[in-house]
């Protein structure tokens, strides 16, 4: 699952947990090693190698599980981030060359399907302002420097389904998603 900040991913996950108890949901992991300075090229590559290796290891483990797994921001998101962070930060680093092996291995880890929750900027900002549970300090930066690019990238992946949530109440998003999951499970199994 992917989508902008404040689009409704966390709310949807909460509903899915109640409706599909066997569904394994991996909400990603955050960097726990703070020794890297992301503005130093060598540190950036070391950080990304660490992060990518963890993602690959975890992805391979999840592929072996008998129950379906929902990834919030899967390997496709991580590959995009690894390549584009330096560009967006105005660094002229050759990420494709310096992380060639890691990115090649990461790109072999593909989600079976991606559900991209979409909404226009007005809806996203409204939801952000109504959600007092998260601070979203870097939201403006995200919307300006990341969202337009990652949205285009994820939507271009052939196995992505886009759900426009603009006028959908949360219960309708959940209902639609449950039907989508059931359909995809039938196709797969």
């Amino acid at each position: 699952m992917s989508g902008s900040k404040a689009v409704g991913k966390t709310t949807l996950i909460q509903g899915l947990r109640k409706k599909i108890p066997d569904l394994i949901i991996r909400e990603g992991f955050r960097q726990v090693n703070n020794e890297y300075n992301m503005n130093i090229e060598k540190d950036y590559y070391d950080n990304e190698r660490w992060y990518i290796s963890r993602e690959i290891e975890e992805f391979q483990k999840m592929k072996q599980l008998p129950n379906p797994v929902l990834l919030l921001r899967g390997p496709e998101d991580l590959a995009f981030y690894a390549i584009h962070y330096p560009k967006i930060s105005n660094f002229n680093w050759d990420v494709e060359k310096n992380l060639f092996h890691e990115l090649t291995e990461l790109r072999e880890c593909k989600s079976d399907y991606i559900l991209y929750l979409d909404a226009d900027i007005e809806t996203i900002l409204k939801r952000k302002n109504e959600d007092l549970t998260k601070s979203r300090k870097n939201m403006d930066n995200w919307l300006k420097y990341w969202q337009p690019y990652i949205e285009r990238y994820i939507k271009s992946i052939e196995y992505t389904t886009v759900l426009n949530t603009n006028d959908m109440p949360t219960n309708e998003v959940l209902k639609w998603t449950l039907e989508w999951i059931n359909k995809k499970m039938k196709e797969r199994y």
Side-chain angles (χ1 to χ4, degrees):
M1 180 188 310
S2 191
S4 174
K5 292 182 179 207
V7 76
K9 296 180 304 294
T10 301
T11 302
L12 177 56
I13 285 173
Q14 291 167 347
L16 290 172
R17 282 195 168 116
K18 292 175 185 170
K19 295 287 185 180
I20 312 174
D22 291 342
L23 181 66
I24 299 165
I25 299 173
R26 202 256 358 231
E27 292 190 56
F29 47 84
R30 288 188 161 60
Q31 171 65 282
V32 293
N33 190 344
N34 296 336
E35 69 186 69
Y36 299 113
N37 180 341
M38 300 295 276
N39 297 318
I40 297 173
E41 189 172 9
K42 182 193 177 309
D43 277 9
Y44 177 75
Y45 293 135
D46 289 344
N47 177 72
E48 290 307 294
R49 283 186 185 98
W50 176 83
Y51 213 106
I52 289 169
S53 71
R54 284 196 55 192
E55 180 77 10
I56 291 167
E57 181 182 313
E58 193 167 309
F59 187 84
Q60 290 168 343
K61 287 179 186 174
M62 287 183 285
K63 279 289 197 182
Q64 304 305 313
L65 297 172
N67 293 350
V69 177
L70 185 145
L71 302 175
L72 178 57
R73 303 202 190 281
E76 296 85 357
D77 290 272
L78 180 55
F80 180 89
Y81 178 85
I83 295 164
H84 289 88
Y85 173 82
K87 291 177 190 175
I88 289 172
S89 301
N90 292 316
F91 297 122
N92 191 22
W93 300 340
D94 193 348
V95 177
E96 289 282 356
K97 176 184 171 196
N98 290 299
L99 293 176
F100 177 79
H101 298 292
E102 293 84 358
L103 288 169
T104 299
E105 192 174 352
L106 179 62
R107 287 176 176 137
E108 291 173 12
C109 300
K110 293 182 180 178
S111 303
D112 294 324
Y113 312 102
I114 297 174
L115 176 60
Y116 185 86
L117 299 183
D118 198 12
D120 61 34
I121 190 71
E122 293 80 14
T123 301
I124 289 169
L125 292 174
K126 180 179 179 235
R127 290 176 183 168
K128 172 197 174 240
N129 292 332
E130 290 174 353
D131 182 1
L132 303 177
T133 64
K134 296 181 180 177
S135 66
R136 295 187 172 103
K137 293 176 188 172
N138 66 348
M139 182 83 171
D140 293 338
N141 241 12
W142 171 266
L143 290 173
K144 182 177 180 181
Y145 295 110
W146 285 99
Q147 183 56 30
Y149 306 103
I150 196 159
E151 176 179 346
R152 203 172 311 128
Y153 166 71
I154 296 293
K155 285 180 173 181
S156 75
I157 297 171
E158 64 186 79
Y159 46 92
T160 298
T161 300
V162 177
L163 175 60
N164 184 317
T165 65
N166 277 332
D167 299 316
M168 293 180 78
T170 55
N171 63 326
E172 288 298 316
V173 173
L174 176 60
K175 179 182 175 193
W176 188 96
T177 303
L178 288 167
E179 291 170 4
W180 180 81
I181 289 171
N182 285 329
K183 177 183 171 196
K184 294 301 180 185
M185 294 302 294
K186 286 177 185 173
E187 288 175 8
R188 182 166 177 164
Y189 298 102

